[in-house]
Amino acid sequence: MKQSYFEIHPWALATHKFNDTTNLVTESLTSIGNGYMGMRGNFEEGYSGKSLKGTYIAGVWFPDKTRVGWWKNGYPKYFGKVINAVDFISVKITIDGHAIDLATTPYEDYYQQLNMKNGILTRSYTVVLSDTKTRINFSRFLSIKTKELAVQQIEFEQIAGNSTITVESQLDGTITNQDTNYEETFWEPITSTIEQNALFLSLKTKANPFGTERFTVSALTDLQLTVNASPQLKKVNDLLLSDTREFSLQEGTNASLLKRTVIVTSRNIPDSEHQTTAKKILADTANNFADLEQEQTAAWLKRWATADIEINGDDAAQQSIRFNLFELFSTYYGEDSRLNIGPKGFTGEKYGGATYWDTEAYAVPFYLGVSEPKVTRNLLLYRYLQLPQAKHNAAEQGLAGALYPMVTFNGIESHNEWEITFEEIHRNGAMAYAIYNYTNYTGDDSYLAKEGLEVLVEISRFWADRVHYSKRKKQYMIHGVTGPNEYENNVNNNWYTNYLARWVLTYTKHAYETYGAQSSVDVSSKELAKWQDIIEHMYLPADSELGIFVQHDTFLDKDIRPVTSLPSKDLPLNQHWSWDKILRSPFIKQADVLQGIYFFGDQFSFEEKKRNFDFYEPLTVHESSLSPSIHSIIASEIGEYDKAIEMYNRTARLDLDNYNHDTDDGLHITSMTGTWLTIVQGFAGMRTWNGELSFAPFLPHNWSSYSFHINYRGRTLQVIVSSIVTIKLVVGETLPIKLYDKNIDLTDTIKVSLK
Amino acid sequence: MKQSYFEIHPWALATHKFNDTTNLVTESLTSIGNGYMGMRGNFEEGYSGKSLKGTYIAGVWFPDKTRVGWWKNGYPKYFGKVINAVDFISVKITIDGHAIDLATTPYEDYYQQLNMKNGILTRSYTVVLSDTKTRINFSRFLSIKTKELAVQQIEFEQIAGNSTITVESQLDGTITNQDTNYEETFWEPITSTIEQNALFLSLKTKANPFGTERFTVSALTDLQLTVNASPQLKKVNDLLLSDTREFSLQEGTNASLLKRTVIVTSRNIPDSEHQTTAKKILADTANNFADLEQEQTAAWLKRWATADIEINGDDAAQQSIRFNLFELFSTYYGEDSRLNIGPKGFTGEKYGGATYWDTEAYAVPFYLGVSEPKVTRNLLLYRYLQLPQAKHNAAEQGLAGALYPMVTFNGIESHNEWEITFEEIHRNGAMAYAIYNYTNYTGDDSYLAKEGLEVLVEISRFWADRVHYSKRKKQYMIHGVTGPNEYENNVNNNWYTNYLARWVLTYTKHAYETYGAQSSVDVSSKELAKWQDIIEHMYLPADSELGIFVQHDTFLDKDIRPVTSLPSKDLPLNQHWSWDKILRSPFIKQADVLQGIYFFGDQFSFEEKKRNFDFYEPLTVHESSLSPSIHSIIASEIGEYDKAIEMYNRTARLDLDNYNHDTDDGLHITSMTGTWLTIVQGFAGMRTWNGELSFAPFLPHNWSSYSFHINYRGRTLQVIVSSIVTIKLVVGETLPIKLYDKNIDLTDTIKVSLK
């Protein structure tokens, strides 16, 4: 089942072989990004084999008309599409008239490496023509220091014979998406100029009937060579510019090319200033690769210093955790509160939309641990800035308050399945949970007191309107929802949703009582009384005989049987069973009741956790990339270590080993946080309930040790787990912590035996 | 709310005014058909105002690629589209160079009439030009005697001045559908010839990627004038032929044109024989309008003789029942067992697909009453012929047996909402019920014994596989269904579906025990035992406190409140509420529990019927055209006469008064049967349980009398209800019947007082 595309290496993805049949997967795996922009591992020189070209600019998208078989009242009018932006990495190469293309050109000594330490992607091979051999080394990265900057170096080493080499650097706006309807294109040309050694191309997204924001993206690129070659700059058409150089290379000599590109967008700079701004940024940039590389390495080093997880004894596990962290940071590092973490990041076009509840449920706890609080706060601010749109979404459904979208770019819901858009409303609770999580983790209540309270009150108003009172049962209920388990739709009283809604009302009421007086938010006493009534009379399905919470009203009437009862040919179910059969089966896509137990771990006993885990996990097919991590964490807590490790392996190398056979269209970015959570909250048992930091580590049997840093309330801690558990206070003041249920004041380093 | 488009008249739709703002509605209402083909009331001379052109040939369709936002396993690959066929009624007219078009031409004395007695549509007006006045009378019909024949007459009467008149008769294959995606067309030219006075055009549906049947439709048309005018026949292009005549008309003189068109299709005749066959049919046809009209009137008279319902005291009611009967017979009269009754008949393109469960539930009891048993038998044979496709549909869902489609042309499911296609499986029970209905009504068990048994066994195999056993409740359940109430989706244990499934198994088992030995069908004893186990342990949700059957598992947990609690601005809900709000509301689209009580009226007590009606009807918004009739019938039975009449009015003039504001895109053909059922089974209380015919009539307060004929087991009966109830045996042998619970041997005429 598992297939490895790159050699096992603690800090790199590297391969000595190019496999043309798996190029789509390796393109995904060698994606790089700097939060501002990113791209798949497409080849600079072009490639005529199977390839998904992808260059993406964060926050730049296009609204695509909603297409459904039958329209239903309330459907969003458009679907937000991640769109391919100007291709600026292209440098076509010919050697003695032969166009270099790995699909057709004879070559030897191939090597590709994504260096995760500094985010530099390199690739080299030796072109073997009849009388000559030329080695080409490509390097590229997207600058962490200057977000608008992309740097490429191409080195030529003439090994045998003499050659005439032509390089043609391009800015190519004739791009489209592979999933377009009827070959539509998204861009129209604004400006294209050629001067000195620079190409400048400015493109704008086409007008759309939905009145959403249009984006201008401009690229300025220059080219420097270490050999003499007069530039031939050319405007091929309004969307395509090129800069061609020709030079000769004698046997034993070298040449090197440096291509620097600056990308500016209307998201940050008015269109009229694009050219001058880009020029200024380029002028302020070092013009040699070595200096630029050094800056880049230093910037990544700083990130790794706090974020790295070191694993000894299992290089595959080591590689996978670093790969997950690397791609996460490449996608988002919290610089821009208008951005979020798309499900595919900069690695593909699938799904569309930039923002899912994955961010609040999975990414927030990760960024809290590995980065400054500001990063997480920006994720919260993103939702605060979209509060008006969330109120619009609720109103579209005829409901009060705010409903955050399932999928969006601009805050307006843009997904078009009623069972998701209209019904998977638990997402609204995750928004509130993230506020709690930030406040509780950081101890900083300033967001909660102001922006957070505004968001919480509107979310609570939604829930208070969305519940209904069952006169028969004398309890509040929530009918017609889809829980996190998307293998059931339109169920009644999903335990997770009901529990979460009740918690939101409780938390909001408490926050309002604490911070309401000083805020602009106004909640009437009648409204508060209504919330209290719902809190006291919310229906939560449970089964006393089994001692479990019940996923939803009629779940236990199903033909309950474990996944192990299925023939293996039926798995994954989503590829083999018709949708109706999946829906009425007892099989669960991802944590549902257990998601609630994970979120509110301080509110359930060990026995409750164990009974629910032992009941639900055997029914779970984990066909969502978000599933294994939550199960691993709970399995760790209840001492089911083998299951915890099985689930870790399933989440950690999901893309590296192409576990679900779908890495070709991009990486599973948001679920990558799960790998980190699995180690830190799972294996190391870190908890932060009620402002108290605690650990209860165990060591997977085939690891000799693991260690990581975390940020917590102004401190940096290092945790090292081998036969000894070591906790170091690296930065900051004394901190009371709990280790294996023992209270300790952490002042320097403590060591205890592994339990 | 109500708007009348035509004058009240017992046998006609007539108007003295042309209203250009409602032309789409009046085009729908003046649709004519002869079961083989049909058309909307488009104008022969063309019309540049709002119009939906529509000419349709029964059984001719095109598969349109399924379009959904998110693909789900098991979705049908294509959707069957009713397509516009060659427009053959077109006769463009110019008078002294002025092209006649009611949107621009000055005219007076407009009159339009659809004569329901003989199916002839006429229209006349006087064209008023500067110096001349010309009256034009259009007549057309589709022949009942010769199904391939369409007859048109246009008479010109020169009232003032002298004019030169040009008529241009066309065969126009350049037609498309208004709802096409990206202006796609469906037809390609095969042959077009011009000879003597005839045009011949042969078109074939385009190739499609789904490999479904392609259709060739050919039209042969000739033109005769009572004045001298030499023909100018012209091939405008491969898809458009024309025949132009020019003549002068002196004041006080007349001219008349007869256009006869013969339509043949590959459904009946090989392509190579189209032209000769069409010529032969045309040659065998009378070539004067008077003779043709007489044949047509005689043919309709025969239909009306048994089918008419006469109402005295309420002309609006009289008009509406005849209109419903007229349009039903125009759509289907049972001649071809490969055809069925589309939701819009020949009156529009909406919905697509030819066949819904409406046929078995609503049309079968109607055709049993008004026509020969052969008509209904052909409807049953239609499903028998599609049994292989029904088995395919079940297999697509991973289930045994046969699942009849929700929407289809060829037996393959072609609807693309999972909550309908995959889950509205009660339709499969209606197929079995129709077999029972036919057998019980006619007393003819020959269909049941052979074809019927094959169908029943495969349907039963589906149900036996589709139920699951709840170990907890120790009962069989059916999860994940949509009942007749489509304002709920994906519910568990819909009472109607469970009850129907159990009945199907019972009925099939009994039929197999009776007829199995002589048939080719083989059911093992193990399978029979399994069916028996399901029959004995099927779960049927009921509430003992309320004394009702429960629509589905959690229905009673809803916020139960009557429709009268809604502000009127919220109605109809389907135009004002978002889909999720509708789904979780207690409001019911159409009879659900009550549909079961209607189907199995002999299995429930008066009190059970009353309690369920009194509980469910107040929750019902009747936003399906199929809803009011069933409610009217049950209301009649339990003595709630005001409600019965209210519901009658709602069903009878649904289209005539454009009740739901959607008659512009076509008529609600299948629900028209409901009007007949409401009178015969409702007001007259006709029942046929267990082979016993019974009546229990009442008279709506504003009617002075009503009467109708029914066919029953070789007899024709006439029922007349005034202050006296008269039942006449018109044709056939003595028949034991029951009248108001009194057993009577009907030999001639009986009269009793109205109760």
Side-chain angles (χ1 to χ4, degrees), chain B residues 134-135 137 154-159 165 225-228 247-257:
Chain B
T134 311
R135 187 150 185 86
N137 304 303
I154 308 178
E155 297 166 285
F156 299 89
E157 184 186 348
Q158 194 67 10
I159 295 172
I165 297 176
L225 267 80
T226 55
V227 291
N228 244 352
F247 56 91
S248 298
L249 220 52
Q250 309 298 316
E251 186 170 316
T253 65
N254 299 289
S256 178
L257 168 161

Side-chain angles (χ1 to χ4, degrees), chain A residues 117-129:
Chain A
K117 226 173 204 164
N118 59 9
I120 299 181
L121 177 64
T122 55
R123 190 165 47 92
S124 49
Y125 51 84
T126 302
V127 174
V128 183
L129 298 180

Side-chain angles (χ1 to χ4, degrees), chain B residues 50-86:
Chain B
K50 270 205 171 174
S51 169
L52 171 60
K53 283 191 94 171
T55 309
Y56 310 102
I57 313 293
V60 171
W61 61 282
F62 193 80
D64 200 31
K65 194 182 165 203
T66 298
R67 284 166 205 286
V68 292
W70 298 86
W71 194 264
K72 296 193 160 74
N73 273 353
Y75 267 155
K77 294 184 182 61
Y78 59 82
F79 179 71
K81 253 184 145 73
V82 171
I83 53 172
N84 236 318
V86 52

Side-chain angles (χ1 to χ4, degrees), chain B residues 452 583 593 637 676 712 747:
Chain B
L583 287 179
V593 166
E637 181 173 353
W676 186 89
Y712 182 78
T747 50

Side-chain angles (χ1 to χ4, degrees), chain B residues 155-456:
Chain B
E155 297 166 285
F156 299 89
E157 184 186 348
Q158 194 67 10
I159 295 172
N162 303 332
S163 290
T164 299
I165 297 176
T166 313
V167 290
E168 181 188 358
S169 164
Q170 294 181 331
L171 286 183
D172 184 359
T174 66
I175 28 75
T176 180
N177 275 24
Q178 280 200 359
D179 66 345
T180 53
N181 293 299
Y182 300 89
E183 273 76 57
E184 59 192 322
T185 58
F186 306 113
W187 297 99
E188 58 185 38
I190 300 294
T191 318
S192 53
T193 63
I194 288 173
E195 50 187 49
Q196 293 156 346
N197 289 354
L199 308 173
F200 178 79
L201 183 63
S202 188
L203 306 173
K204 188 169 186 164
T205 52
K206 291 186 174 171
N208 68 75
F210 309 107
T212 67
E213 187 183 356
R214 295 173 67 183
F215 300 97
T216 304
V217 170
S218 303
L220 175 73
T221 194
D222 81 344
L223 213 60
Q224 296 169 56
L225 267 80
T226 55
V227 291
N228 244 352
S230 59
Q232 302 164 42
L233 281 68
K234 193 172 147 196
K235 184 165 162 176
V236 182
N237 59 49
D238 280 350
L239 289 165
L240 179 60
L241 306 180
S242 73
D243 177 352
T244 307
R245 318 277 176 113
E246 189 178 297
F247 56 91
S248 298
L249 220 52
Q250 309 298 316
E251 186 170 316
T253 65
N254 299 289
S256 178
L257 168 161
L258 177 68
K259 179 175 182 178
R260 296 176 305 161
T261 306
V262 169
I263 300 282
V264 292
T265 84
S266 55
R267 294 185 64 256
N268 298 311
I269 294 159
D271 291 13
S272 60
E273 298 169 23
H274 277 201
Q275 197 157 3
T276 50
T277 305
K279 276 183 180 170
K280 187 171 181 318
I281 293 171
L282 197 61
D284 291 347
T285 300
N287 66 356
N288 69 83
F289 189 78
D291 288 351
L292 291 164
E293 185 180 25
Q294 201 174 12
E295 289 170 4
Q296 176 77 352
T297 303
W300 268 100
L301 198 65
K302 203 174 150 203
R303 291 181 173 186
W304 285 117
T306 50
D308 188 29
I309 294 188
E310 209 178 314
I311 298 171
N312 291 307
D314 186 342
D315 281 350
Q318 176 67 80
Q319 182 182 41
S320 64
I321 180 66
R322 287 197 177 123
F323 178 67
N324 287 336
L325 293 170
F326 174 79
E327 290 293 346
L328 276 165
F329 291 158
S330 299
T331 305
Y332 188 81
Y333 208 71
E335 292 92 348
D336 185 340
S337 62
R338 298 165 305 167
L339 295 179
N340 213 285
I341 306 158
K344 296 271 153 205
F346 299 118
T347 73
E349 299 159 8
K350 206 177 161 186
Y351 297 126
T355 314
Y356 288 64
W357 69 287
D358 306 20
T359 296
E360 280 71 20
Y362 293 82
V364 158
F366 164 73
Y367 283 102
L368 282 173
V370 299
S371 57
E372 292 302 303
K374 190 176 78 62
V375 174
T376 309
R377 194 178 175 120
N378 269 346
L379 286 174
L380 302 188
L381 266 176
Y382 176 90
R383 298 294 192 175
Y384 174 71
L385 294 172
Q386 294 185 353
L387 183 57
Q389 292 91 317
K391 289 168 82 168
H392 166 89
N393 295 335
E396 282 289 293
Q397 294 192 27
L399 291 163
L403 174 60
Y404 279 92
M406 194 65 198
V407 180
T408 195
F409 268 102
N410 57 354
I412 301 287
E413 177 63 69
S414 78
H415 187 89
N416 56 15
E417 294 174 296
W418 64 264
E419 60 274 27
I420 305 295
T421 305
F422 295 155
E423 299 209 332
E424 201 168 332
I425 53 174
H426 67 78
R427 61 185 184 257
N428 222 22
M431 307 301 130
Y433 186 80
I435 297 170
Y436 156 77
N437 211 353
Y438 172 83
T439 308
N440 178 61
Y441 191 97
T442 62
D444 165 23
D445 66 356
S446 65
Y447 181 83
L448 170 61
K450 197 174 169 299
E451 297 92 346
L453 187 61
E454 277 187 57
V455 170
L456 287 173

